[in-house]
Amino acid sequence: MMKKLVISVALLASAVLVKAELPQVATIEEIALPAGSAAMSSTVSPDGSFIVISDAGHQGLTKISLDGSAPVKYQVDGTVRNVTISPDGANIVFRNIVTGKDKLRRSSLVNINLASKAVTQLVAPTRHLNDGVTVSGNVVSAVSDGVAKAHAVGRAARVAVAPVASIDYGHLTYTKDGRTTVLDPMGRGSYIWPSISPDGKKILYYLTGSGCFVCDTEGRNIAQLGGIRAAKWLDNNTVVGMNDTDNGEVIVASNIVVADLEGNRKALTDDSVIAAYPSASADGKHISFTTEKGLLYLINLK
């Protein structure tokens, strides 16, 4: 059963002549989890019909259907990071991190077919798998060991490498047509959380110590979005992320916020929960997030 929490949202005045309307909240629902589960991260499906969570310690994945169907668990031997759901909702792709007998950590790129539960290793364990992939249709594009490759996860008319924004030893890079360019729009630093906009024209990223930004695929035309962490694209002009505060060890307060490239910004949650690490559906109608207590919520937008 879902607990519905409806919050009021104040209108935010725009700094530009024409007011840009940011998304408005319809409802916020707490999503019931299987007994004993704690949601550490969540990824909402492109159509908003289900959510994939990683449990405590990022060990294993669970599909939570929003139609009341029984949860489905997928066993994973390793630490799960960066879960992405294919556009057709049939596959999940994620980074799987394991520590070998030599005590070195290696990452592989793994795909699970949700219907068959078939597990396919797309990229073998390596010390150099860039953080950031592109899933286009049934093709996953990733950069590992300095080479961009495409991997089919279903029937595909052709398997061609799509552009990829990724992190290589802290550098923000952009790979297209087999050529990788170091962008680093703000100069050398520690870049994280890269992603390409749905229209393929912009790159979203976070620079540690500076904040959240958007640039074009050449690293130019920079838009500053402020202190928004773990941001994701909601549409081509709007992102969703978290505005959090920590005490040096744990997050003590956090809101889910949306912002557009014109400088408008709005909180979607209040201080009743510590809302963190959002995920947006491709249709722009749903946002999932988790809390420090391992709870799972879904924001339904108007």
Side-chain angles (χ1 to χ4, degrees):
M1 183 174 292
M2 301 178 184
K3 301 176 184 177
K4 294 190 177 181
L5 306 173
V6 181
I7 67 175
S8 61
V9 182
L11 294 178
L12 186 66
S14 173
V16 294
L17 294 177
V18 179
K19 293 183 179 180
E21 184 177 354
L22 289 170
Q24 298 184 49
V25 172
T27 59
I28 300 179
E29 305 172 331
E30 181 183 350
I31 308 300
L33 298 176
S37 294
M40 299 301 292
S41 67
S42 69
T43 306
V44 62
S45 65
D47 63 357
S49 65
F50 66 89
I51 302 172
V52 173
I53 66 167
S54 60
D55 63 20
H58 296 264
Q59 300 285 339
L61 295 166
T62 302
K63 176 187 176 184
I64 309 292
S65 295
L66 301 180
D67 62 3
S69 302
V72 181
K73 293 188 175 183
Y74 303 88
Q75 184 62 40
V76 177
D77 296 324
T79 301
V80 174
R81 293 285 191 275
N82 310 127
V83 176
T84 303
I85 302 175
S86 62
D88 61 4
N91 295 275
I92 50 177
V93 179
F94 59 94
R95 174 188 292 260
N96 189 32
I97 303 172
V98 296
T99 302
K101 294 181 179 179
D102 56 5
K103 298 183 180 181
L104 295 177
R105 297 175 64 186
R106 291 177 174 83
S107 296
S108 59
L109 194 64
V110 178
N111 178 79
I112 297 179
N113 181 277
L114 292 176
S116 68
K117 292 190 176 183
V119 179
T120 305
Q121 190 176 87
L122 304 178
V123 175
T126 175
R127 294 276 294 161
H128 192 182
L129 174 62
N130 286 17
D131 185 6
V133 301
T134 297
V135 182
S136 178
N138 288 319
V139 176
V140 179
S141 300
V143 180
S144 61
D145 298 315
V147 180
K149 292 183 179 180
H151 312 269
V153 296
R155 293 183 178 180
R158 63 191 184 97
V159 180
V161 180
V164 181
S166 64
I167 304 299
D168 185 12
Y169 292 109
H171 292 284
L172 176 64
T173 67
Y174 178 68
T175 302
K176 182 179 181 180
D177 299 329
R179 180 174 178 267
T180 296
T181 302
V182 175
L183 299 181
D184 287 356
M186 317 297 293
R188 187 66 175 105
S190 180
Y191 292 83
I192 54 177
W193 296 316
S195 61
I196 298 177
S197 60
D199 62 9
K201 297 179 179 180
K202 297 175 285 292
I203 297 174
L204 173 66
Y205 62 91
Y206 187 90
L207 178 61
T208 302
S210 297
C212 182
F213 300 87
V214 169
C215 67
D216 62 25
T217 56
E218 294 182 348
R220 303 171 182 170
N221 298 313
I222 300 168
Q224 183 172 4
L225 305 184
I228 303 176
R229 300 203 318 127
K232 305 288 181 63
W233 289 102
L234 191 62
D235 58 40
N236 289 316
N237 192 57
T238 314
V239 306
V240 57
M242 64 182 192
N243 180 25
D244 62 303
T245 303
D246 64 63
N247 61 7
E249 295 182 0
V250 296
I251 297 175
V252 296
S254 183
N255 300 119
I256 301 302
V257 298
V258 289
D260 63 25
L261 304 189
E262 285 73 48
N264 302 300
R265 175 169 168 157
K266 178 170 64 178
L268 300 184
T269 63
D270 57 25
D271 294 330
S272 61
V273 294
I274 299 177
Y277 298 106
S279 168
S281 61
D283 62 11
K285 297 179 180 179
H286 310 278
I287 299 168
S288 67
F289 67 87
T290 57
T291 74
E292 88 292 357
K293 295 181 179 179
L295 302 179
L296 173 66
Y297 286 84
L298 182 69
I299 300 174
N300 299 298
L301 300 174
K302 294 181 180 179

